[in-house]
Structure formats: C-alpha cells, structure tokens
Amino acid sequence: MRNTLVIGNWKMNKTLEEAVELVVRLKEKATDFPPSAEVVLAPPALYLASIAMLEEPWHKLAAQNCSHHDYGAFTGEISAPMLKSMAVDYCIIGHSERRTYFHETDALLAAKVDACLRNGIQPVFCCGEQLKQRKEREHFVTVLNQLQQGLFHLTPAQLSDVVIAYEPVWAIGTGQTASPEEANEMHTFIRQQLSSHFGEVAANDLRILYGGSVSAGNAASLLACSDIDGALVGGASLHVRDFAAIIGAAS
Ligand code: PGA
C-alpha cells in the first residue's frame, strides 16, 4: 500500500520570518490533515535548520538540491551528509528548473541520486517533457530516457528508497495542469517501465507524484487517479489555505 505523499517545494521564496510563519500557520491546520498523508516541506536550504528546530511531527523535510560530492572544496555547495545531519529525509533531484537554468545533465543527476542513497536521503527524482515534445508525441520516450539515464543503474532494493515526480514542464508554474487522464496515463507508463526493468514488486511499491500547477481546485481529481501517489506542489505550497486544502485532498 502506497501512502500519499505531498511535498511543498517553496523554491527560492520567503524570508526566514515568512518561512517560520508559514510553518506555524500550517501547524494550526495540521490536526485536520488525513493521517494517511505524508507531508514534506522543501524550504530553501538556508532555513532547514530553523524549521527542523521547530520539531513539528506533522511534517518531514526535503532539500531542493544537493551536491553529488559528499564533502570537499566545492564552494557554495551543500552535500547529502550535511542534509542528513539536519534531519532531512528527502531531496528533490532533477527538477526541470535545475535541468534548464543550471544545466544539470542526466549523468550529474544519476550521481546526485547515488549521493542521496548512500547517505540515507530519499531522492525525489523529477522527470517530464517540454510542450514541444508532447505536441510531437515524444513525451513517453522523453520521460523513459530520463528514467533510464537517472535511475536504471540502481538495484531494485535501492529503487525502494526513490520517489518519482512526473512534472510536465509546460505545466510548471503556468496554471495549465495536465488533466487527470493525461497525468495518470504517464504515471501508469512510468510504473510499467519500472516494472519491466526492476520487477513488479519494486514498481508497485514506488510512489509516483504529479507536479505542475497542482492547486486546491484540482488536487482531489489528480490524487484520485490509480497511479498518482501524491503531489509535488510549487506555487500553491506558499499559501497556507491552498496547501492545507491540497493535503486535505490526499485522503
Ligand atoms: P507549480 O510548481 O506547482 O508552481 O507548478 C511545481 C514544481 O515546480 O515542483
């Protein structure tokens, strides 16, 4: 049985004061969150310690990125062992913004997945096609290629610590979400491909999140789909009422 996972990706937003206020205000709603939903906050790395110190049992923490190195002379970088020492459980890897703006390659992302796994952090591996690729009916082959490059070197046991987030690039931050049918079709495809490579048991246990303009209005219909096991939420996770409503839809 896969429990529903809702991750709020704050990206590069909020001052420390605003970040703490958001957590405190979400806490007021936490008693209404469905017990079956796992809630994860991914604030800017700079705030992970402050938010971890609040010791709120209703959520876990994710980082938005990490280095593929464990330590060393890499100015400005944050490593998976550092995240682990801050009670971080998950790390988003391969978000389309990192692939595009920071030129992160498939090989680098595979190395980041490895860094997470060897340090006890669960990677949330993002994949998804551009609008042009969907229009040209290349979305399945694009996503399959991302999975092959980023994850297919793992063992089935390692895969059990991975979460996948399908985020069609054209739906991120645009208000233009994939329909539940479009999203579920891709999720089913992803699970089938993982099943052929890693075996049915590993694929059935894997959580595949949808991301891309998830809102209080569309969360319930997306999360009701058979192969959608949660949501990676960007913009709406910055607003208490919206994010709480999305978590509420995860029953
Ligand atoms: P969005 O972002 O919900 O604002 O579309 C999702 C994401 O980038 O993870």
Side-chain angles (χ1 to χ4, degrees):
M1 188 61 193
R2 306 185 293 264
N3 70 330
T4 308
L5 175 60
V6 180
I7 304 179
N9 174 14
W10 298 0
K11 308 191 181 183
M12 197 178 74
N13 291 295
K14 305 245 176 238
T15 62
L16 175 60
E17 199 181 335
E18 290 165 347
V20 171
E21 190 195 337
L22 179 55
V23 178
V24 169
R25 289 188 54 216
L26 277 169
K27 179 190 178 174
E28 289 163 10
K29 308 241 178 217
T31 46
D32 297 334
F33 294 164
S36 57
E38 185 178 344
V39 180
V40 176
L41 304 179
L46 197 56
Y47 306 150
L48 284 167
S50 307
I51 295 176
M53 276 192 303
L54 299 175
E55 292 193 349
E56 295 293 342
W58 54 270
H59 75 81
K60 294 181 181 168
L61 283 172
Q64 299 175 12
N65 178 37
C66 73
S67 170
H68 61 297
H69 297 290
D70 282 356
Y71 56 85
F74 302 101
T75 301
E77 289 287 88
I78 293 174
S79 72
M82 293 174 187
L83 296 175
K84 190 68 189 171
S85 73
M86 308 261 287
V88 170
D89 288 303
Y90 294 93
C91 181
I92 300 170
I93 299 291
H95 191 282
S96 71
E97 288 149 18
R98 298 231 42 108
R99 290 179 189 262
T100 305
Y101 305 141
F102 301 95
H103 313 291
E104 295 196 353
T105 62
D106 288 323
L108 177 67
L109 298 177
K112 289 189 177 198
V113 167
D114 292 343
C116 287
L117 292 174
R118 73 173 169 264
N119 289 291
I121 303 259
Q122 290 190 250
V124 180
F125 182 80
C126 301
C127 55
E129 80 284 356
Q130 310 271 346
L131 185 58
K132 184 171 177 287
Q133 291 163 327
R134 179 163 279 266
K135 283 193 170 148
E136 292 172 1
R137 306 291 304 163
E138 286 176 359
H139 47 300
F140 290 117
V141 74
T142 301
V143 168
L144 177 57
N145 187 47
Q146 291 168 338
L147 297 174
Q148 285 170 334
Q149 303 294 322
L151 298 178
F152 272 29
H153 63 288
L154 302 177
T155 64
Q158 286 177 309
L159 187 79
S160 68
D161 286 327
V162 173
V163 173
I164 291 182
Y166 168 58
E167 297 206 305
V169 179
W170 49 272
I172 296 175
T174 59
Q176 191 192 347
T177 183
S179 68
E181 295 73 28
E182 285 171 331
N184 199 51
E185 182 187 33
M186 181 60 87
H187 285 226
T188 304
F189 171 78
I190 291 171
R191 205 179 300 284
Q192 280 164 353
Q193 295 303 319
L194 293 167
S195 181
S196 332
H197 187 79
F198 292 98
E200 206 177 330
V201 175
N204 281 344
D205 287 348
L206 187 93
R207 287 177 297 179
I208 308 176
L209 316 183
Y210 170 78
S213 295
V214 175
S215 68
N218 63 26
S221 57
L222 286 161
L223 294 174
C225 295
S226 57
D227 274 311
I228 299 184
D229 308 312
L232 179 53
V233 186
S237 73
L238 299 171
H239 306 285
V240 177
R241 211 173 332 149
D242 292 342
F243 193 52
I246 292 168
I247 298 166
S251 48

